[in-house]
Coordinates of all heavy atoms in Angstrom, one line a residue:
M10 N -6.8 -9.7 -3.3 CA -6.2 -10.7 -2.5 C -6.3 -12.1 -3.2 O -5.4 -12.9 -3.1 CB -7.0 -10.8 -1.1 CG -6.3 -11.5 -0.1 SD -4.7 -10.7 0.3 CE -4.1 -11.8 1.5
E11 N -7.4 -12.3 -3.8 CA -7.6 -13.6 -4.5 C -6.5 -13.8 -5.6 O -5.9 -14.9 -5.7 CB -9.0 -13.6 -5.2 CG -9.3 -14.9 -5.8 CD -10.8 -14.9 -6.4 OE1 -11.7 -14.5 -5.7 OE2 -10.9 -15.2 -7.6
Y12 N -6.2 -12.7 -6.3 CA -5.1 -12.8 -7.3 C -3.8 -13.2 -6.7 O -3.1 -14.1 -7.2 CB -4.9 -11.4 -8.0 CG -3.7 -11.4 -8.9 CD1 -3.8 -11.9 -10.2 CD2 -2.5 -10.9 -8.5 CE1 -2.7 -11.9 -11.0 CE2 -1.4 -10.9 -9.3 CZ -1.5 -11.4 -10.6 OH -0.3 -11.5 -11.4
L13 N -3.4 -12.6 -5.5 CA -2.2 -12.9 -4.9 C -2.2 -14.4 -4.4 O -1.2 -15.1 -4.6 CB -2.0 -12.0 -3.6 CG -1.8 -10.5 -3.9 CD1 -1.7 -9.8 -2.6 CD2 -0.6 -10.3 -4.8
E14 N -3.3 -14.9 -3.9 CA -3.3 -16.2 -3.4 C -3.2 -17.2 -4.6 O -2.6 -18.3 -4.4 CB -4.6 -16.5 -2.6 CG -4.6 -15.8 -1.3 CD -6.0 -15.9 -0.6 OE1 -7.0 -16.3 -1.3 OE2 -6.1 -15.5 0.6
E15 N -3.7 -16.9 -5.7 CA -3.6 -17.7 -6.9 C -2.3 -17.7 -7.6 O -1.9 -18.7 -8.2 CB -4.7 -17.4 -7.9 CG -6.1 -17.7 -7.4 CD -7.2 -17.2 -8.4 OE1 -6.9 -16.7 -9.5 OE2 -8.4 -17.4 -8.0
N16 N -1.6 -16.6 -7.5 CA -0.4 -16.4 -8.3 C 0.9 -16.2 -7.6 O 2.0 -16.2 -8.2 CB -0.6 -15.1 -9.2 CG -1.7 -15.3 -10.2 OD1 -1.5 -16.1 -11.2 ND2 -2.8 -14.7 -10.0
W17 N 0.9 -16.1 -6.3 CA 2.1 -16.0 -5.4 C 2.2 -17.3 -4.6 O 1.3 -17.9 -4.2 CB 2.0 -14.8 -4.5 CG 2.1 -13.5 -5.2 CD1 1.8 -13.2 -6.5 CD2 2.6 -12.3 -4.7 NE1 2.0 -11.9 -6.7 CE2 2.6 -11.3 -5.6 CE3 3.1 -12.0 -3.4 CZ2 3.0 -10.0 -5.4 CZ3 3.6 -10.7 -3.2 CH2 3.5 -9.7 -4.2
T18 N 3.5 -17.6 -4.3 CA 3.8 -18.7 -3.4 C 3.5 -18.3 -2.0 O 3.4 -17.2 -1.6 CB 5.2 -19.2 -3.5 OG1 6.1 -18.1 -3.0 CG2 5.6 -19.5 -4.9
E19 N 3.4 -19.4 -1.1 CA 3.1 -19.1 0.3 C 4.2 -18.3 0.9 O 4.0 -17.4 1.7 CB 3.1 -20.5 1.0 CG 2.7 -20.4 2.4 CD 1.2 -20.7 2.7 OE1 0.5 -21.1 1.7 OE2 0.8 -20.4 3.8
K20 N 5.5 -18.6 0.5 CA 6.6 -17.8 1.0 C 6.5 -16.3 0.6 O 6.8 -15.4 1.4 CB 7.9 -18.4 0.4 CG 9.2 -17.8 0.9 CD 10.4 -18.5 0.4 CE 11.7 -17.8 0.9 NZ 12.9 -18.5 0.4
E21 N 6.2 -16.1 -0.7 CA 6.0 -14.7 -1.1 C 4.9 -14.0 -0.4 O 5.1 -12.8 0.0 CB 5.7 -14.6 -2.6 CG 6.9 -15.0 -3.5 CD 6.5 -15.2 -5.0 OE1 5.4 -15.8 -5.2 OE2 7.3 -14.8 -5.8
L22 N 3.8 -14.6 -0.1 CA 2.7 -14.0 0.6 C 3.1 -13.7 2.0 O 2.8 -12.7 2.6 CB 1.5 -15.0 0.6 CG 0.7 -15.1 -0.7 CD1 -0.3 -16.2 -0.6 CD2 0.1 -13.8 -1.1
H23 N 3.8 -14.6 2.7 CA 4.3 -14.4 4.0 C 5.2 -13.2 4.1 O 5.1 -12.4 5.0 CB 5.0 -15.7 4.5 CG 5.5 -15.6 5.9 ND1 4.7 -15.5 7.0 CD2 6.8 -15.4 6.4 CE1 5.4 -15.4 8.1 NE2 6.7 -15.3 7.8
H24 N 6.1 -13.1 3.1 CA 7.1 -12.0 3.1 C 6.3 -10.7 2.9 O 6.6 -9.7 3.5 CB 8.1 -12.2 2.0 CG 9.2 -11.2 1.9 ND1 10.1 -11.0 3.0 CD2 9.6 -10.3 0.9 CE1 10.9 -10.0 2.6 NE2 10.6 -9.6 1.4
L25 N 5.3 -10.7 2.0 CA 4.5 -9.5 1.8 C 3.8 -9.1 3.1 O 3.7 -7.9 3.4 CB 3.5 -9.7 0.6 CG 2.5 -8.6 0.4 CD1 3.2 -7.3 -0.1 CD2 1.5 -9.1 -0.7
A26 N 3.2 -10.1 3.7 CA 2.5 -9.8 5.0 C 3.4 -9.1 6.0 O 3.0 -8.2 6.7 CB 1.9 -11.1 5.5
I27 N 4.6 -9.6 6.1 CA 5.6 -9.0 7.1 C 5.9 -7.6 6.7 O 5.9 -6.7 7.5 CB 6.9 -9.9 7.1 CG1 6.6 -11.2 7.8 CG2 8.0 -9.1 7.8 CD1 7.7 -12.2 7.8
K28 N 6.1 -7.3 5.4 CA 6.4 -6.0 5.0 C 5.3 -5.0 5.2 O 5.4 -3.9 5.6 CB 6.8 -6.0 3.5 CG 8.2 -6.6 3.2 CD 9.2 -5.8 3.9 CE 10.6 -6.3 3.7 NZ 11.6 -5.6 4.5
I29 N 4.1 -5.5 5.0 CA 2.9 -4.7 5.2 C 2.8 -4.3 6.7 O 2.5 -3.2 7.1 CB 1.6 -5.4 4.7 CG1 1.6 -5.4 3.2 CG2 0.3 -4.6 5.2 CD1 0.5 -6.3 2.6
E30 N 3.0 -5.3 7.6 CA 2.9 -5.1 9.0 C 4.0 -4.1 9.4 O 3.7 -3.2 10.3 CB 3.1 -6.4 9.8 CG 1.8 -7.3 9.7 CD 2.0 -8.6 10.5 OE1 2.8 -8.6 11.4 OE2 1.3 -9.5 10.1
E31 N 5.2 -4.2 8.9 CA 6.3 -3.3 9.2 C 5.9 -1.9 8.8 O 6.1 -0.9 9.5 CB 7.6 -3.7 8.5 CG 8.2 -4.9 9.1 CD 9.5 -5.4 8.3 OE1 9.7 -4.8 7.2 OE2 10.1 -6.3 8.8
T32 N 5.4 -1.8 7.6 CA 5.0 -0.5 7.0 C 3.9 0.2 7.9 O 4.0 1.4 8.2 CB 4.6 -0.6 5.6 OG1 5.6 -1.2 4.8 CG2 4.2 0.7 5.0
L33 N 2.9 -0.6 8.3 CA 1.8 -0.1 9.1 C 2.3 0.4 10.5 O 1.8 1.4 11.0 CB 0.7 -1.1 9.2 CG -0.1 -1.4 7.9 CD1 -1.1 -2.5 8.2 CD2 -0.7 -0.2 7.4
S34 N 3.3 -0.3 11.0 CA 3.9 0.1 12.2 C 4.6 1.4 12.1 O 4.5 2.3 12.9 CB 4.9 -1.0 12.7 OG 5.6 -0.6 13.9
F35 N 5.4 1.6 11.0 CA 6.0 2.9 10.7 C 5.0 4.0 10.6 O 5.1 5.1 11.1 CB 6.8 2.9 9.4 CG 8.1 2.0 9.5 CD1 8.4 1.2 8.5 CD2 8.9 2.1 10.6 CE1 9.6 0.4 8.5 CE2 10.1 1.3 10.7 CZ 10.4 0.5 9.6
I36 N 3.9 3.7 9.9 CA 2.8 4.7 9.7 C 2.2 5.1 11.0 O 1.9 6.3 11.3 CB 1.8 4.2 8.7 CG1 2.4 4.1 7.3 CG2 0.5 5.1 8.7 CD1 1.5 3.4 6.2
S37 N 2.0 4.1 11.9 CA 1.3 4.4 13.2 C 2.2 5.3 14.0 O 1.7 6.1 14.8 CB 0.9 3.1 13.9 OG 2.1 2.4 14.3
E38 N 3.5 5.1 13.9 CA 4.5 5.9 14.7 C 4.6 7.3 14.1 O 4.8 8.3 14.9 CB 5.8 5.2 14.7 CG 5.8 3.9 15.5 CD 7.2 3.2 15.5 OE1 8.2 3.8 15.2 OE2 7.1 2.0 15.7
N39 N 4.6 7.4 12.8 CA 4.7 8.7 12.1 C 3.9 8.7 10.8 O 4.4 8.4 9.8 CB 6.2 9.0 11.8 CG 6.4 10.4 11.2 OD1 5.5 11.1 11.0 ND2 7.7 10.7 11.0
P40 N 2.7 9.2 10.9 CA 1.8 9.1 9.7 C 2.3 10.0 8.5 O 1.9 9.7 7.4 CB 0.5 9.7 10.2 CG 0.5 9.5 11.7 CD 2.0 9.6 12.1
N41 N 3.2 10.9 8.8 CA 3.6 11.8 7.7 C 5.0 11.3 7.1 O 5.6 12.1 6.4 CB 3.7 13.2 8.2 CG 2.4 13.8 8.6 OD1 1.4 13.6 7.9 ND2 2.4 14.4 9.7
L42 N 5.4 10.1 7.5 CA 6.7 9.6 7.1 C 6.9 9.4 5.6 O 7.9 9.8 5.0 CB 6.9 8.3 7.8 CG 8.3 7.6 7.5 CD1 9.4 8.4 8.0 CD2 8.3 6.2 8.2
F43 N 5.8 9.0 4.9 CA 5.9 8.6 3.5 C 5.5 9.8 2.6 O 4.8 10.7 3.0 CB 5.2 7.3 3.3 CG 5.8 6.2 4.0 CD1 5.2 5.6 5.1 CD2 7.0 5.6 3.6 CE1 5.7 4.6 5.8 CE2 7.6 4.6 4.3 CZ 6.9 4.1 5.4
Q44 N 5.8 9.6 1.3 CA 5.6 10.6 0.3 C 4.2 10.9 0.1 O 3.3 10.1 0.1 CB 6.2 10.1 -1.0 CG 6.1 11.0 -2.2 CD 6.8 10.4 -3.4 OE1 7.0 9.2 -3.5 NE2 7.0 11.2 -4.4
I45 N 3.9 12.2 -0.1 CA 2.6 12.7 -0.5 C 2.3 12.2 -2.0 O 3.2 12.4 -2.8 CB 2.4 14.2 -0.4 CG1 2.6 14.6 1.1 CG2 1.1 14.7 -0.9 CD1 2.6 16.1 1.3
S46 N 1.1 11.7 -2.2 CA 0.8 11.2 -3.5 C 0.5 12.4 -4.5 O -0.1 13.3 -4.1 CB -0.4 10.3 -3.4 OG -0.9 10.0 -4.7
D47 N 0.9 12.2 -5.7 CA 0.6 13.2 -6.7 C -0.7 12.9 -7.4 O -1.2 13.7 -8.2 CB 1.7 13.3 -7.7 CG 2.0 12.0 -8.4 OD1 1.5 11.0 -8.0 OD2 2.8 12.0 -9.4
V48 N -1.4 11.8 -7.0 CA -2.6 11.4 -7.6 C -3.8 12.2 -7.0 O -4.7 12.6 -7.7 CB -2.8 9.9 -7.5 CG1 -4.2 9.5 -8.0 CG2 -1.7 9.2 -8.1
K49 N -3.8 12.3 -5.7 CA -4.9 13.0 -5.0 C -4.4 13.7 -3.7 O -3.6 13.1 -3.0 CB -6.0 12.0 -4.6 CG -7.3 12.6 -4.2 CD -8.4 11.6 -4.2 CE -9.6 12.3 -3.7 NZ -10.8 11.4 -3.7
K50 N -4.9 14.9 -3.5 CA -4.6 15.7 -2.3 C -4.9 14.9 -1.0 O -6.0 14.3 -0.9 CB -5.3 17.0 -2.4 CG -4.9 18.0 -1.3 CD -5.5 19.3 -1.5 CE -5.1 20.3 -0.4 NZ -5.8 21.5 -0.5
G51 N -4.0 15.0 0.0 CA -4.3 14.5 1.3 C -4.0 13.0 1.4 O -4.2 12.4 2.5
I52 N -3.5 12.4 0.4 CA -3.2 11.0 0.4 C -1.7 10.8 0.3 O -1.0 11.4 -0.5 CB -3.9 10.2 -0.7 CG1 -5.4 10.3 -0.5 CG2 -3.5 8.8 -0.9 CD1 -6.3 9.6 -1.5
R53 N -1.2 9.8 1.0 CA 0.3 9.5 1.0 C 0.4 8.1 0.4 O -0.5 7.3 0.4 CB 0.9 9.5 2.4 CG 0.8 10.9 3.0 CD 1.6 11.0 4.3 NE 1.7 12.4 4.7 CZ 2.7 13.2 4.4 NH1 3.7 12.7 3.7 NH2 2.7 14.5 4.7
R54 N 1.6 7.8 0.0 CA 1.9 6.5 -0.6 C 3.2 5.9 -0.2 O 4.1 6.7 0.2 CB 1.9 6.6 -2.1 CG 3.0 7.3 -2.7 CD 2.9 7.4 -4.2 NE 4.1 8.1 -4.7 CZ 4.9 7.6 -5.6 NH1 4.6 6.4 -6.1 NH2 5.9 8.2 -6.1
V55 N 3.3 4.6 -0.1 CA 4.5 3.9 0.2 C 4.6 2.7 -0.6 O 3.6 1.9 -0.8 CB 4.6 3.6 1.8 CG1 3.4 2.8 2.2 CG2 5.9 2.9 2.1
I56 N 5.8 2.5 -1.2 CA 6.0 1.3 -2.1 C 6.4 0.1 -1.2 O 7.2 0.3 -0.3 CB 7.1 1.6 -3.1 CG1 6.6 2.7 -4.1 CG2 7.4 0.3 -3.9 CD1 7.6 3.2 -5.1
I57 N 5.7 -1.0 -1.4 CA 6.0 -2.2 -0.7 C 6.5 -3.3 -1.6 O 5.8 -3.6 -2.6 CB 4.7 -2.7 0.1 CG1 4.3 -1.6 1.0 CG2 5.0 -4.0 0.8 CD1 3.0 -1.9 1.7
L58 N 7.7 -3.7 -1.4 CA 8.4 -4.7 -2.3 C 8.4 -4.4 -3.7 O 8.4 -5.3 -4.6 CB 7.7 -6.1 -2.1 CG 7.7 -6.7 -0.7 CD1 6.9 -8.0 -0.6 CD2 9.1 -6.9 -0.2
N59 N 8.5 -3.2 -4.1 CA 8.6 -2.8 -5.5 C 7.5 -3.1 -6.4 O 7.3 -2.6 -7.5 CB 9.9 -3.3 -6.2 CG 11.2 -2.8 -5.6 OD1 11.2 -1.7 -5.0 ND2 12.2 -3.6 -5.6
H60 N 6.6 -4.0 -6.0 CA 5.5 -4.5 -6.8 C 4.2 -3.8 -6.4 O 3.2 -3.9 -7.2 CB 5.3 -6.0 -6.8 CG 6.5 -6.7 -7.2 ND1 7.0 -6.7 -8.6 CD2 7.4 -7.5 -6.6 CE1 8.0 -7.5 -8.7 NE2 8.3 -8.0 -7.5
N61 N 4.1 -3.3 -5.2 CA 2.8 -2.8 -4.7 C 3.0 -1.5 -4.0 O 4.0 -1.2 -3.4 CB 2.3 -3.8 -3.7 CG 2.0 -5.2 -4.3 OD1 1.2 -5.3 -5.2 ND2 2.9 -6.1 -4.0
T62 N 2.0 -0.7 -4.1 CA 2.0 0.6 -3.4 C 0.7 0.7 -2.5 O -0.4 0.4 -2.9 CB 1.9 1.8 -4.4 OG1 3.1 1.7 -5.3 CG2 1.9 3.1 -3.7
L63 N 1.0 1.1 -1.3 CA -0.1 1.3 -0.3 C -0.4 2.8 -0.3 O 0.5 3.6 -0.1 CB 0.4 0.8 1.1 CG -0.6 1.0 2.2 CD1 -1.6 -0.2 2.1 CD2 0.1 1.0 3.5
Y64 N -1.7 3.1 -0.5 CA -2.1 4.5 -0.4 C -2.9 4.7 0.9 O -3.8 3.8 1.2 CB -3.0 4.9 -1.6 CG -2.3 5.0 -2.9 CD1 -2.1 3.8 -3.7 CD2 -1.7 6.2 -3.3 CE1 -1.4 3.9 -4.9 CE2 -1.0 6.2 -4.5 CZ -0.8 5.1 -5.3 OH -0.1 5.2 -6.5
Y65 N -2.7 5.7 1.6 CA -3.4 5.9 2.9 C -3.5 7.4 3.2 O -2.9 8.3 2.5 CB -2.6 5.3 4.1 CG -1.3 5.9 4.4 CD1 -1.2 6.9 5.5 CD2 -0.1 5.7 3.7 CE1 0.0 7.5 5.8 CE2 1.1 6.3 4.1 CZ 1.1 7.2 5.1 OH 2.3 7.8 5.4
R66 N -4.4 7.7 4.1 CA -4.5 9.1 4.6 C -4.6 9.1 6.1 O -5.1 8.1 6.7 CB -5.7 9.8 3.9 CG -7.0 9.6 4.6 CD -8.1 10.5 3.9 NE -9.1 9.6 3.4 CZ -9.7 9.7 2.2 NH1 -9.4 10.7 1.4 NH2 -10.5 8.8 1.8
F67 N -4.2 10.2 6.7 CA -4.3 10.4 8.1 C -5.1 11.6 8.4 O -4.8 12.7 8.0 CB -2.8 10.6 8.7 CG -2.8 10.8 10.1 CD1 -3.0 9.7 11.0 CD2 -2.5 12.0 10.7 CE1 -3.0 9.8 12.3 CE2 -2.5 12.2 12.1 CZ -2.7 11.1 12.9
Q68 N -6.2 11.4 9.1 CA -7.1 12.5 9.5 C -7.8 12.1 10.8 O -8.1 10.9 11.0 CB -8.1 12.8 8.4 CG -9.0 11.8 7.9 CD -9.8 12.2 6.7 OE1 -9.4 13.0 5.9 NE2 -11.0 11.7 6.6
N69 N -8.1 13.1 11.6 CA -8.8 12.8 12.8 C -8.1 11.8 13.7 O -8.7 11.0 14.3 CB -10.3 12.4 12.6 CG -11.0 13.5 11.8 OD1 -10.8 14.7 12.0 ND2 -11.9 13.0 10.9
N70 N -6.8 11.9 13.7 CA -6.0 11.0 14.5 C -6.1 9.5 14.1 O -5.9 8.6 14.9 CB -6.2 11.1 16.0 CG -5.1 11.9 16.7 OD1 -4.1 12.2 16.1 ND2 -5.3 12.1 17.9
Q71 N -6.5 9.2 12.9 CA -6.7 7.8 12.4 C -6.0 7.7 11.0 O -6.1 8.6 10.2 CB -8.2 7.5 12.3 CG -8.9 7.4 13.6 CD -10.3 6.8 13.5 OE1 -10.8 6.8 12.4 NE2 -10.8 6.3 14.5
V72 N -5.5 6.5 10.8 CA -4.9 6.1 9.5 C -6.0 5.3 8.8 O -6.5 4.4 9.3 CB -3.6 5.3 9.7 CG1 -3.1 4.8 8.3 CG2 -2.6 6.1 10.4
E73 N -6.3 5.7 7.6 CA -7.2 5.0 6.7 C -6.5 4.5 5.5 O -5.9 5.3 4.7 CB -8.4 6.0 6.3 CG -9.3 5.3 5.4 CD -10.4 6.3 4.9 OE1 -10.3 7.5 5.1 OE2 -11.3 5.8 4.2
I74 N -6.5 3.2 5.3 CA -5.9 2.7 4.1 C -6.9 2.8 2.9 O -8.0 2.4 3.0 CB -5.5 1.2 4.3 CG1 -4.4 1.1 5.4 CG2 -5.0 0.6 3.0 CD1 -4.1 -0.3 5.8
I75 N -6.4 3.5 1.9 CA -7.3 3.8 0.7 C -7.2 2.7 -0.3 O -8.2 2.3 -0.9 CB -6.9 5.2 0.1 CG1 -6.9 6.3 1.2 CG2 -7.7 5.5 -1.1 CD1 -8.2 6.6 1.8
S76 N -6.0 2.3 -0.6 CA -5.8 1.3 -1.7 C -4.5 0.6 -1.6 O -3.5 1.1 -1.0 CB -5.8 2.1 -3.1 OG -5.6 1.3 -4.2
F77 N -4.5 -0.6 -2.1 CA -3.3 -1.4 -2.2 C -3.2 -1.8 -3.7 O -4.0 -2.5 -4.2 CB -3.4 -2.7 -1.4 CG -2.2 -3.4 -1.3 CD1 -1.1 -3.0 -0.5 CD2 -2.0 -4.6 -1.9 CE1 0.1 -3.7 -0.4 CE2 -0.8 -5.4 -1.8 CZ 0.2 -4.9 -1.0
F78 N -2.2 -1.1 -4.4 CA -2.2 -1.2 -5.9 C -1.0 -1.9 -6.4 O 0.2 -1.6 -5.9 CB -2.2 0.3 -6.4 CG -2.3 0.4 -7.9 CD1 -3.5 0.2 -8.5 CD2 -1.2 0.7 -8.6 CE1 -3.6 0.3 -9.9 CE2 -1.3 0.8 -10.0 CZ -2.5 0.6 -10.6
S79 N -1.1 -2.8 -7.4 CA 0.0 -3.4 -8.0 C 0.6 -2.5 -9.0 O 0.0 -2.0 -9.9 CB -0.5 -4.7 -8.7 OG 0.6 -5.2 -9.5
N80 N 1.9 -2.2 -8.9 CA 2.6 -1.3 -9.7 C 2.8 -1.8 -11.2 O 3.2 -1.1 -12.0 CB 4.0 -0.9 -9.1 CG 3.8 -0.2 -7.8 OD1 2.9 0.5 -7.6 ND2 4.8 -0.4 -7.0
R81 N 2.4 -3.1 -11.4 CA 2.6 -3.6 -12.7 C 1.3 -3.3 -13.6 O 1.3 -3.5 -14.8 CB 2.8 -5.1 -12.6 CG 4.1 -5.5 -12.0 CD 4.2 -6.9 -11.7 NE 3.5 -7.1 -10.5 CZ 3.6 -8.2 -9.7 NH1 4.4 -9.2 -10.1 NH2 3.0 -8.3 -8.6
Q82 N 0.3 -2.8 -12.9 CA -0.9 -2.5 -13.6 C -0.8 -1.1 -14.3 O 0.0 -0.3 -13.9 CB -2.1 -2.4 -12.7 CG -2.5 -3.8 -12.2 CD -3.8 -3.7 -11.3 OE1 -4.7 -3.1 -11.7 NE2 -3.8 -4.3 -10.2
N83 N -1.7 -0.8 -15.2 CA -1.8 0.5 -15.8 C -2.2 1.5 -14.7 O -3.2 1.3 -14.0 CB -2.9 0.5 -16.9 CG -3.0 1.8 -17.6 OD1 -2.7 2.9 -17.1 ND2 -3.5 1.7 -18.8
P84 N -1.4 2.6 -14.5 CA -1.7 3.6 -13.4 C -3.1 4.2 -13.5 O -3.7 4.7 -12.5 CB -0.7 4.7 -13.6 CG 0.4 4.0 -14.4 CD -0.2 3.0 -15.2
T85 N -3.7 4.2 -14.7 CA -5.1 4.8 -14.8 C -6.1 3.9 -14.1 O -7.2 4.4 -13.9 CB -5.5 4.9 -16.3 OG1 -5.5 3.7 -16.9 CG2 -4.6 5.9 -17.0
K86 N -5.8 2.7 -13.7 CA -6.7 1.8 -13.0 C -6.7 2.1 -11.5 O -7.5 1.5 -10.7 CB -6.3 0.3 -13.2 CG -6.5 -0.2 -14.6 CD -6.2 -1.6 -14.7 CE -6.6 -2.2 -16.0 NZ -6.4 -3.6 -16.1
R87 N -5.8 3.0 -11.0 CA -5.8 3.4 -9.6 C -7.2 4.0 -9.2 O -7.6 5.0 -9.9 CB -4.7 4.3 -9.2 CG -3.4 3.7 -9.0 CD -2.4 4.8 -8.6 NE -2.3 5.7 -9.6 CZ -1.1 6.3 -10.0 NH1 0.0 6.0 -9.4 NH2 -1.1 7.1 -10.9
R88 N -7.8 3.6 -8.2 CA -9.0 4.2 -7.7 C -8.8 4.6 -6.3 O -8.8 3.8 -5.4 CB -10.2 3.2 -7.9 CG -10.5 2.9 -9.3 CD -11.8 2.2 -9.4 NE -12.1 1.9 -10.8 CZ -12.1 0.7 -11.4 NH1 -12.0 -0.3 -10.6 NH2 -12.3 0.6 -12.6
L89 N -8.7 5.9 -6.1 CA -8.5 6.5 -4.8 C -9.7 7.3 -4.4 O -10.0 8.2 -5.1 CB -7.2 7.3 -4.8 CG -5.9 6.6 -5.2 CD1 -4.8 7.6 -5.2 CD2 -5.6 5.4 -4.4
K90 N -10.3 7.0 -3.3 CA -11.5 7.7 -2.8 C -11.1 9.1 -2.3 O -10.2 9.3 -1.6 CB -12.2 6.9 -1.8 CG -12.7 5.6 -2.3 CD -13.4 4.9 -1.2 CE -13.8 3.5 -1.6 NZ -14.3 2.7 -0.6

């Protein structure tokens, strides 16, 4: 979050926040809506604004956000629990 605050404008951060809220609303309505991740079993992913990917899992009737990853980084830096 610190990186975003230092390198993104207020307008970009606001737009990102809106997209994240929209995406979380979609996930809450249908947790299986987005693509299954090929990185780890049981985890799904959704691309937000082409620059970021949200990784989550749905279990025990709850959505757990695993990671919010910048797609501009080296994919080997993804850490999914």
